[in-house]
Amino acid sequence: MIKSFSIGTLFILCAALIESVILSNIMFLPAVPDLVLICVLFISLHNGKLVGETSGFVSGLMLDFLSASPPGLNALCRTLLGYVGGLFAKTLNTEGFFIPMLLGLCASVSKMILLWFVSVLYPSDLLVFTPFSWTVLFEIGLNTILTPFIFKFLSLFKNSLLLKPENIV
């Protein structure tokens, strides 16, 4: 369990660095795809609730340190999304193309709803979120399109990333 969690955290760290260092500096992109969310979704769908929420929390802390968001916002959202993804562990076939697209769409929309809900509860200048803007819709579209490809890439490392079925909680 520690080996798969450590390797998963390494993949999440690489995705966070690619997202925050490379993709955020591309000027013609109106929004950056959430690679970390897709990695957490893959890990939680294959390893269960415990690993899903833990990897979601760790990825959220990484993003909180790398971004200018309020502390704990990403950790909260990704912990919840990792847990919910873990509820469907080993029940969904993620080998195809359309199911991962649908999962990426659901996770992205859920993230946007959580962010909107938190921004309504805690209105401040730090967290201004408009759920129906072009940037939000562009990010949802990018996440939806990229999810099957990232799932295929991560499935190349299944032996290292995934727990044995008897260890899934």
Side-chain angles (χ1 to χ4, degrees):
M1 182 169 168
I2 293 174
K3 175 187 168 193
S4 65
F5 177 73
S6 302
I7 293 172
T9 303
L10 181 66
F11 274 103
I12 289 171
L13 177 64
C14 292
L17 289 175
I18 289 170
E19 187 179 316
S20 64
V21 174
I22 298 171
L23 294 178
S24 66
N25 290 322
I26 297 176
M27 293 301 180
F28 63 87
L29 282 178
V32 177
D34 200 346
L35 304 176
V36 176
L37 176 67
I38 298 170
C39 290
V40 168
L41 183 63
F42 180 84
I43 291 169
S44 65
L45 283 170
H46 289 89
N47 291 327
K49 298 178 287 194
L50 181 63
V51 176
E53 67 187 11
T54 308
S55 63
F57 181 73
V58 169
S59 71
L61 284 180
M62 285 182 208
L63 287 178
D64 284 336
F65 287 124
L66 291 173
S67 69
S69 66
L73 178 66
N74 287 312
L76 172 70
C77 288
R78 288 162 201 286
T79 302
L80 291 172
L81 292 172
Y83 179 78
V84 171
L87 290 174
F88 299 101
K90 302 290 184 183
T91 59
L92 297 173
N93 182 11
T94 59
E95 297 297 320
F97 191 77
F98 293 109
I99 297 295
M101 280 183 74
L102 184 64
L103 290 170
L105 175 69
C106 292
S108 300
V109 169
S110 300
K111 179 186 119 176
M112 298 305 164
I113 291 171
L114 280 169
L115 288 175
W116 174 77
F117 186 69
V118 170
S119 71
V120 168
L121 287 178
Y122 300 103
S124 69
D125 294 335
L126 290 176
L127 184 61
V128 178
F129 185 75
T130 53
F132 299 109
S133 65
W134 286 108
T135 57
V136 169
L137 294 176
F138 189 77
E139 181 181 342
I140 290 173
L142 278 176
N143 289 347
T144 303
I145 292 168
L146 289 177
T147 302
F149 300 108
I150 294 174
F151 274 25
K152 289 287 184 198
F153 175 73
L154 290 175
S155 67
L156 296 174
F157 304 97
K158 262 188 177 177
N159 294 336
S160 314
L161 278 174
L162 306 183
L163 296 173
K164 293 180 180 70
E166 61 270 5
N167 293 338
I168 295 177
V169 180

